[in-house]
C-alpha cells in the first residue's frame, strides 16, 4: 500500500522507536496515524517552553496522533533526561536517521513540529503554531489535509468530533489560558531539582569558556576609580563569569554565549556588554601599549576585551 511504501518501510525502516519506559514500538503500528516529528533539545529555551504544551495536546489526541522525538541534545544523558518528561516515542540519540530526516524536510531551527501522514507527505510544517493556537482542534485541520480516504467517512464517529459541542468564540482563548496555567508547573518539573530557582525565570543555554583559557585560582575584583600603580609582576587575568546564551528573535534558534550573529539565520545578536572587571580602564591607559590575549594569543592595541575571543584584558 502507499503507507507501507512511504513512512513504514522507507522513512523509519529498521529504526527502533521507544518510549521513556523502554517499551519499543514497531513503526508499522503508525499506519493511519498522524505523525508529529518533534525536533527539540533540552538546551533550547523555546523547546523547553513548548514541550509541556505539546504534552497536554498529546494526552488528548494520542488515539489519532503519535509524536516522535528527534533529539539535538549534546549528550545521551541529556537526551534520556529530557525524554523522561515526554510520554511519546523517540529515536535513539545521535542516530544518523535524524540528520537524514531533517535534510529531507529542510528543518532549519528548534523547536520544529513537522506533521506528516503515514505516507510521509507533509500535512503542515508549522505544527508548533497549530498546537499552541488551536490545541486539540488542530487535528481536525490536519485531517482535512490528509491525502486518501482515512478520514473521509468518519463523520460524527471521529473521536475528536463525537459529543463535541459547537465551538464558541471564547473556546480558543479558554484553551490557551488553561495551557498557560499548567505551563509554569510543568517547566519547574523539567528542571533538575538542585538547579530550580526560588522564583520562575527563563531557562537559558550556556556555553563553557574556551578550553585553552587558563583556570585562575582567584578572580580579580574591581579596583577603585583610581588606576592602580604599575607593578613589577603581572596581576592575575580577570575572567568574567560565563555569559548566558541567547535566543534568536527571528528563527528562535538557541545560540551559544560567544556567538555574535545567529548561527542559523545570521541575524545579529544582542550587544555584548563590556567586561565589568575592565570598566575602570581609561582610554589613555588602553592606548599606552599593545597586549597579548592569554587565551588565543592575539596581539592588539586599543581594546578592553580580546577582539577575537572576548577574554578581558589583564589589569
Amino acid at each position: 500500500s502507499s503507507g507501507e511504501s512511504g513512512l513504514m518501510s522507507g522513512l523509519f525502516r529498521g529504526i527502533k522507536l521507544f518510549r521513556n519506559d523502554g517499551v519499543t514500538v514497531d513503526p508499522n503500528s503508525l499506519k493511519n496515524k498522524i505523525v508529529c516529528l518533534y525536533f527539540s533539545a533540552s538546551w533550547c529555551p523555546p523547546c523547553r517552553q513548548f514541550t509541556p504544551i505539546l504534552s497536554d495536546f498529546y494526552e488528548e489526541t494520542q488515539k489519532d496522533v503519535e509524536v516522535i522525538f528527534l533529539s539535538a541534545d549534546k549528550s545521551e544523558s541529556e537526551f534520556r533526561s529530557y525524554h523522561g518528561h515526554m510520554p511519546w516515542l523517540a529515536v535513539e540519540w545521535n542516530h544518523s536517521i535524524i540528520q537524514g530526516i531533517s535534510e529531507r524536510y529542510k528543518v532549519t531551527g528548534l523547536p520544529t513540529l513537522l506533521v506528516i501522514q503515514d505516507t510521509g507527505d507533509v500535512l503542515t510544517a508549522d505544527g508548533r503554531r497549530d498546537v499552541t493556537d488551536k490545541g486539540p482542534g488542530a487535528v481536525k485541520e490536519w485531517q482535512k489535509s490528509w491525502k486518501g480516504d482515512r478520514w473521509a467517512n468518519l463523520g460524527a464517529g471521529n473521536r475528536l468530533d463525537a459529543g463535541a459541542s459547537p465551538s464558541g468564540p471564547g473556546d480558543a482563548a479558554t484553551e490557551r489560558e488553561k495551557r498557560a496555567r499548567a505551563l509554569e508547573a510543568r517547566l519547574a518539573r523539567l528542571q533538575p531539582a538542585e538547579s530550580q530557582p526560588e522564583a520562575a525565570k527563563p531557562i537559558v543555554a550556556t556555553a563553557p569558556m574556551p578550553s585553552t583559557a587558563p583556570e585562575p585560582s582567584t578572580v580579580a575584583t574591581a579596583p577603585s576609580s583610581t588606576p592602580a600603580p604599575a607593578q613589577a609582576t603581572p596581576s592575575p587575568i580577570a575572567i568574567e563569569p560565563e555569559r548566558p546564551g541567547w535566543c534568536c528573535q527571528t528563527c528562535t534558534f538557541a545560540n551559544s554565549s560567544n556567538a555574535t550573529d545567529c548561527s542559523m539565520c545570521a541575524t545579529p545578536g544582542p550587544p555584548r556588554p563590556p567586561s565589568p572587571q575592565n570598566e575602570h580602564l581609561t582610554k589613555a591607559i588602553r592606548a599606552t601599549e599593545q597586549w597579548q590575549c592569554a587565551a588565543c594569543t592575539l596581539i592588539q592595541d586599543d581594546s578592553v576585551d580580546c577582539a577575537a575571543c572576548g577574554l578581558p584584558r589583564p589589569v
Side-chain angles (χ1 to χ4, degrees), residues 238-252:
I239 304 295
E240 63 177 323
E242 283 185 290
R243 294 187 179 92
W246 56 277
C247 185
C248 178
Q249 297 300 311
T250 301
C251 69
T252 71

Side-chain angles (χ1 to χ4, degrees), residues 87-281:
W88 48 75
L89 300 173
V91 174
E92 279 288 357
W93 174 78
N94 207 30
H95 197 290
S96 59
I97 192 65
I98 298 176
Q99 180 67 24
I101 294 176
S102 65
E103 291 177 356
R104 171 175 174 172
Y105 291 107
K106 297 179 174 58
V107 175
T108 58
L110 300 177
T112 291
L113 188 70
L114 184 74
V115 184
I116 63 177
Q117 64 181 71
D118 58 2
T119 60
D121 293 311
V122 176
L123 300 178
T124 178
D126 199 3
R128 175 189 176 191
R129 182 182 297 275
D130 285 353
V131 169
T132 302
D133 292 347
K134 303 173 185 177
V139 178
K140 298 178 184 178
E141 301 298 322
W142 301 342
Q143 291 169 350
K144 293 177 183 177
S145 302
W146 187 279
K147 296 178 182 178
D149 58 0
R150 167 71 173 95
W151 307 104
N153 300 317
L154 290 181
N158 186 337
R159 171 179 168 272
L160 293 173
D161 292 335
S165 59
S167 297
D171 288 352
T174 302
E175 284 293 331
R176 287 195 295 270
E177 182 179 354
K178 182 179 71 173
R179 291 195 298 272
R181 287 196 299 266
L183 179 58
E184 181 177 347
R186 285 181 172 271
L187 283 176
R189 291 199 298 270
L190 284 175
Q191 299 182 43
E194 63 272 12
S195 63
Q196 286 193 16
E198 294 181 0
K201 56 184 179 182
I203 304 168
V204 296
T206 59
M209 295 290 287
S211 58
T212 55
E215 299 182 0
S217 58
T218 59
V219 176
T221 57
S224 63
S225 58
T226 304
Q231 298 179 4
T233 57
S235 58
I237 297 175
I239 304 295
E240 63 177 323
E242 283 185 290
R243 294 187 179 92
W246 56 277
C247 185
C248 178
Q249 297 300 311
T250 301
C251 69
T252 71
F253 185 78
N255 294 271
S256 62
S257 59
N258 58 354
T260 56
D261 297 335
C262 178
S263 301
M264 183 63 66
C265 68
T267 299
R272 291 168 61 97
S275 190
Q277 292 88 346
N278 288 335
E279 289 180 354
H280 67 284
L281 291 176

